[in-house]
Amino acid sequence: MPAFDLPPADLERHRPDVAEPADFDAFWKRTLEEAAGAGDVLLSAGPVENGLRLTETWDVTFRGFAGDPVRGWFSRPAGTAAGAAEPLPAVVEFAGYGRGRGLPHERLTWVNAGYAHLLMDNRGQGDQYGCGGDTPDPHAGAPGGPGPAARGLLDPHDYHYRRLITDAVRAVDAVRALPGVDASRVAAVGNSQGGGVALAVAGLVPDLAAVLVTAPFLCGIRRALDLTDASPYGEISAYLAVHRGAEEAAHRTLAYVEGISFARRAQAPAHFGVGLRDTVCPPSGAYAAYNRYAELTGGQEEKVLHAYPFNGHEGGDAVHVRRQLGWLGRVLGA
């Protein structure tokens, strides 16, 4: 697929205006306060057999949106249990669209690099690829399409991503409550949907130590809906193709999860990656979030973006991961 978005020179200065709801900050403050008021964040954490000799894994359940139980895998390098070593910096990872937490041995990059690692399950997802998920979404009954991108699309209070983003913020609280974690050195990481969620976390958790975002979903949403019919954006378009006249309500809802708005409020050091031929999450969204990152806080120590001109949604793949490892190690002093 040839490049289809803005030319590289235009991407580098792409800073679109965003129509933010007047109550954007109040909406998220109220949502997160309600979740925090449900009780202690950790519900359970117990060791599981993962078949690995160099990695230890715990099955973790924590309170997410509305206090709902959310599952995750928490892994550490073997022999680094609490009390046996200095507290470890932690990486909280958010999975891609349609994927669940899978099996404990699937995501080993960060724990092999020496970090404590929490992989959050995606509520109500896990059935599209991978090895499944274990977290139902008990609030998925509002009008909307069958896919997560369109569930509850007509009202921001009902929208799937209000719940998923709240879960993600609570995942940071959960990893900080786990033994042997350095609570001052927690990074949020994700690709695609996970990248959009990690960026939201950066905008909602003021003391996050770092954020690593690749090919982010939910960035420049209105433009993306005009550019691509690929899922997940295509699921929103398909819903609106049937429910004619619902566009205004849908755009109002989507404005509360716009990644550019979260990016403006973030302040942690940030690492971005983007493929310029990405027809799933168009690169202009990633550039818009990057170019407007921390403009309301001025707090980021640094930000960097790596672009891959001949790559699509896979971006820089393993080459990019190597860059992430080097960057995060330096930023966290790990």
Side-chain angles (χ1 to χ4, degrees):
M1 172 63 68
F4 79 108
D5 206 335
L6 296 171
D10 291 342
L11 287 173
E12 290 176 4
R13 54 176 178 265
H14 184 53
R15 299 174 61 91
D17 292 330
V18 176
E20 292 186 0
D23 66 339
F24 181 92
D25 293 309
F27 174 88
W28 283 107
K29 182 175 185 291
R30 184 168 58 252
T31 297
L32 297 179
E33 285 177 346
E34 290 172 356
D40 292 341
V41 65
L42 280 181
L43 290 171
S44 65
V48 296
E49 175 55 53
N50 60 17
L52 305 172
R53 289 185 296 171
L54 303 181
T55 299
E56 299 170 348
T57 301
W58 286 259
D59 187 348
V60 170
T61 304
F62 65 90
R63 298 184 196 270
F65 175 86
D68 298 338
V70 179
R71 306 290 291 277
W73 296 125
F74 176 65
S75 297
R76 300 172 56 96
T80 62
E86 291 295 321
L88 293 177
V91 168
V92 182
E93 184 175 4
F94 307 108
Y97 190 75
R99 189 181 188 112
R101 66 172 181 167
L103 298 174
H105 60 268
E106 289 187 65
R107 302 291 185 94
L108 298 176
T109 296
W110 296 107
V111 69
N112 279 339
Y115 298 94
H117 176 242
L118 178 65
L119 175 64
M120 186 187 84
D121 204 11
N122 286 326
R123 67 164 60 221
Q125 299 189 34
D127 298 323
Q128 293 190 21
Y129 67 101
C131 292
D134 300 295
T135 303
D137 185 0
H139 309 279
R151 289 179 193 159
L153 183 61
L154 301 185
D155 189 315
H157 294 88
D158 297 331
Y159 194 39
H160 176 78
Y161 284 97
R162 179 188 181 219
R163 301 189 290 277
L164 192 67
I165 289 169
T166 302
D167 292 347
V169 171
R170 295 293 280 164
V172 173
D173 295 335
V175 83
R176 285 174 163 165
L178 287 164
V181 169
D182 184 345
S184 68
R185 293 190 293 166
V186 176
V189 176
N191 175 73
S192 191
Q193 173 186 264
V197 170
L199 190 59
V201 169
L204 294 170
V205 179
D207 59 347
L208 196 69
V211 60
L212 298 96
V213 174
T214 311
F217 180 47
L218 298 175
C219 290
I221 299 172
R222 280 183 177 255
R223 177 175 172 82
L225 289 171
D226 290 337
L227 285 178
T228 182
D229 283 328
S231 178
Y233 289 114
E235 295 177 19
I236 298 172
S237 299
Y239 178 82
L240 294 177
V242 174
H243 298 273
R244 302 165 183 86
E247 294 92 338
E248 182 177 352
H251 284 308
R252 177 177 179 272
T253 294
L254 292 166
Y256 285 92
V257 298
E258 170 59 64
I260 300 170
S261 296
F262 290 121
R264 297 179 68 221
R265 290 159 171 78
Q267 52 189 321
H271 189 281
F272 282 73
V274 60
L276 299 191
R277 300 179 183 228
D278 188 345
T279 59
V280 177
C281 296
S284 54
Y287 270 91
Y290 174 79
N291 289 334
R292 301 197 66 180
Y293 189 87
E295 69 178 12
L296 294 183
T297 63
Q300 95 283 2
E301 297 175 17
E302 65 171 278
K303 64 177 182 178
V304 61
L305 182 148
H306 294 284
Y308 302 92
F310 292 94
N311 289 98
H313 197 53
E314 81 284 4
D317 209 355
V319 170
H320 187 67
V321 172
R322 183 171 59 189
R323 286 173 165 165
Q324 289 180 316
L325 288 166
W327 181 86
L328 187 62
R330 178 174 56 78
V331 168
L332 296 188

